[in-house]
Amino acid sequence: MSEVAGSSGGKPMTDREIAEDLLAGQKYLSNYYYAPAILESGDPALRSAFQELHAGATSAAKSVFDYLHSKGWYQVRKADQETLSHLRNAVHQSRQVMNSTVNMGGTNVSMNQGQVGWTGTQIMEGQSGMGPSSVSQGARWGGESSWMSGSTGQFQGTQHQGGIPDWARGGYGAQSASTGWQGSTGWTGTQYGEGQSGFGPSSLAQGARWGGQPSWISTGAGQIHGTQQYQNIPQWAQRGFGSQSGFGVQEGAVSRQGWTGTQYGEGQSGFGPSSLGQSAQWGGEPSWMGFGGQYQSGHSANLPNWARGGTGFGQGGPGQQVGFVPGQPSLGFQHGGTQQGLGGMQGSPTHFGTGSWQRDLGVQRQGWQLGSQGNWQSQ
Amino acid sequence: MQLTQTEAWYLGESIKGETLMSQKLTSYRQMAQDPELRALIENLERACERHLSLLSSHVK
């Protein structure tokens, strides 16, 4: 294996590390820049451009993957029989649901609901029920899909709504015994399998764990404090109903949720103008963010920090930077660009590197230049 | 059509991302030992330049 000493005199960087970092970078561009940009672009020409860029990034990622694979540095694992069995079961059950719905013309979906216990998505890799990422190598989730009702996996809805998850029901009488999103479900799905740099569907969330609720659920340890009618509905969907407060109420929700994974930042206010992020509250910080990343509500809680013009107290930081250092295997793909304001969104979705998400100690970069020591330095 | 705030943000971030990627590729090309990897990096550099050009064209 060839090794190259970095110009900074740090740890030598191998060809493998270089390729893995490039793969991670291309994935990041694809997943966190271009994919959401496509969705958020209203201008057809710009949308088309982002689609082209997205295709380019995925194509580049494929090229790098092929190189890694040819060298034996990127092993793919075939699904085991248990997983395939669950997958087939899920397909079968899905067809049953669909057939029942279609055959009944939507007027009488009175199927054997006890058998709709969707287990395939939770137990298998590549879960389809939740989370933005559909593949999680090695992921396990022992619970049921959060939108499923009751411990028996039964839909307890009316006949008209039996095949519909609770959250999709408009009526008031179809709630289940389940509280929906529960902190005890121990979701480790999306992030769990993405722990290797350059591996898996996403380059984020390396080794991340989530044992609780998604960050956009505000109160309580994984419980929805809702009315009976809306127990299975995430809080953001319950705004204005019953005792729900939805987003924007809980000041500086603490990071007890421990979410460090992929979805933490996605769709969140401050991570980019995603439609999910309107008035979003989240308390922790994504894994690639610096410390103290609390998003607090306030007068401009609906705005990401970069969109705020006012002065803020988000961070001053001690001034250290953990930047892109040629020759370092864990080089950060850090260019900040975002500015801090009230709420202290620290960092931006612009960090990516090979080995780990590095904590940015507080300095954002607007521009870069290659310094005399081989370090990337802000201009 | 005038850019929306959202579009402008994504454009800006994308330009910064591609720029940094370009810088990394330049460094990696010099560091890579494997000729195959070096050739791959050169291709990626060209793609990066195209991407930057495309992004810049939307900034009036």
Side-chain angles (χ1 to χ4, degrees), chain A residues 2 4 13 15 21-22 33-34 36 42-43 46 49 53 60 67 71 273 306 324 327 331 333 335 337 350, chain B residues 6-7 9-10 13-14 16-18 20-21 23-25 27-28 31-34 37 40 44 51 54-55 58:
Chain A
S2 59
V4 178
M13 198 165 182
D15 284 352
D21 186 69
L22 289 177
Y33 284 82
Y34 300 137
D43 179 42
L46 185 58
L53 292 162
Y67 173 79
K71 297 291 183 184
W306 50 262
F324 171 37
L331 74 166
F333 204 157
H335 62 91
T350 53
Chain B
T6 300
E7 292 166 343
W9 185 85
Y10 273 112
E13 290 298 305
S14 298
K16 283 189 284 188
E18 290 284 356
L20 189 54
M21 175 60 78
Q23 290 174 314
K24 290 175 75 172
L25 288 166
S27 293
Y28 286 164
M31 297 164 64
Q33 295 293 287
D34 183 5
L37 178 60
L40 173 60
L44 294 178
H51 291 173
L54 179 58
L55 286 164
H58 286 271

Side-chain angles (χ1 to χ4, degrees), chain A:
Chain A
M1 179 165 45
S2 59
E3 290 187 344
V4 178
S7 59
S8 63
K11 183 182 174 185
M13 198 165 182
T14 66
D15 284 352
R16 177 176 182 171
E17 289 169 336
I18 290 172
E20 286 181 347
D21 186 69
L22 289 177
L23 180 58
Q26 294 295 342
K27 284 182 174 182
Y28 198 91
L29 285 172
S30 171
N31 287 345
Y32 298 99
Y33 284 82
Y34 300 137
I38 293 168
L39 298 172
E40 301 293 347
S41 294
D43 179 42
L46 185 58
R47 181 186 176 87
S48 176
F50 278 127
Q51 284 177 323
E52 182 178 338
L53 292 162
H54 184 264
T58 54
S59 175
K62 178 62 166 56
S63 300
V64 181
F65 164 78
D66 287 342
Y67 173 79
L68 284 165
H69 191 60
S70 70
K71 297 291 183 184
W73 293 335
Y74 195 137
Q75 304 291 337
V76 293
R77 193 180 66 177
K78 293 189 175 180
D80 56 32
Q81 287 305 310
E82 181 186 6
T83 298
L84 292 174
S85 176
H86 284 298
L87 180 60
R88 292 187 192 102
N89 190 35
V91 171
H92 176 70
Q93 290 173 346
S94 175
R95 285 176 179 163
Q96 279 187 327
V97 170
M98 296 305 295
N99 288 339
S100 299
T101 304
V102 172
N103 292 339
M104 297 302 173
T107 57
N108 183 14
V109 188
S110 181
M111 67 184 110
N112 187 350
Q113 296 169 351
Q115 295 178 355
V116 191
W118 184 311
T119 58
T121 53
Q122 298 87 12
I123 298 174
M124 293 185 306
E125 300 172 358
Q127 296 154 5
S128 65
M130 300 171 59
S133 177
S134 59
V135 180
S136 293
Q137 299 190 12
R140 295 289 186 276
W141 179 35
E144 59 187 353
S145 182
S146 62
W147 46 266
M148 299 277 300
S149 59
S151 58
T152 60
Q154 293 183 352
F155 285 134
Q156 300 174 347
T158 65
Q159 286 200 336
H160 296 284
Q161 298 172 314
I164 307 172
D166 287 353
W167 52 263
R169 295 175 186 160
Y172 279 79
Q175 76 276 10
S176 70
S178 165
T179 55
W181 293 87
Q182 295 182 2
S184 61
T185 50
W187 169 277
T188 58
T190 302
Q191 302 84 4
Y192 193 82
E194 301 174 354
Q196 291 178 291
S197 172
F199 294 83
S202 169
S203 56
L204 260 183
Q206 310 207 0
R209 300 288 190 279
W210 179 41
Q213 61 196 21
S215 58
W216 41 267
I217 291 181
S218 58
T219 60
Q223 294 183 350
I224 297 289
H225 299 281
T227 63
Q228 286 286 313
Q229 287 81 0
Y230 290 94
Q231 279 186 331
N232 282 345
I233 306 176
Q235 284 196 333
W236 53 264
Q238 302 175 28
R239 194 169 191 173
F241 292 93
S243 61
Q244 297 305 314
S245 55
F247 285 163
V249 173
Q250 192 175 17
E251 287 279 337
V254 295
S255 57
R256 63 172 180 267
Q257 294 153 343
W259 175 284
T260 59
T262 303
Q263 298 95 339
Y264 208 166
E266 294 179 353
Q268 297 294 335
S269 178
F271 282 75
S274 168
S275 55
L276 250 186
Q278 302 299 322
S279 304
Q281 285 284 316
W282 62 279
E285 60 186 36
S287 57
W288 44 264
M289 292 191 61
F291 49 83
Q294 293 189 350
Y295 190 3
Q296 301 171 341
S297 67
H299 295 296
S300 52
N302 285 350
L303 293 176
N305 289 313
W306 50 262
R308 296 175 186 157
T311 55
F313 58 87
Q315 68 177 55
Q320 293 91 339
Q321 299 190 36
V322 184
F324 171 37
V325 181
Q328 297 290 349
S330 186
L331 74 166
F333 204 157
Q334 303 184 14
H335 62 91
T338 52
Q339 58 194 31
Q340 288 68 52
L342 284 170
M345 276 294 301
Q346 300 183 4
S348 67
T350 53
H351 298 222
F352 44 99
T354 298
S356 62
W357 294 100
Q358 300 179 355
R359 295 176 70 85
D360 186 345
L361 293 180
V363 175
Q364 303 300 315
R365 298 180 174 190
Q366 296 291 344
W368 290 77
Q369 64 181 10
L370 189 61
S372 59
Q373 299 302 313
N375 295 333
W376 293 106
Q377 299 174 338
S378 60
Q379 291 177 337

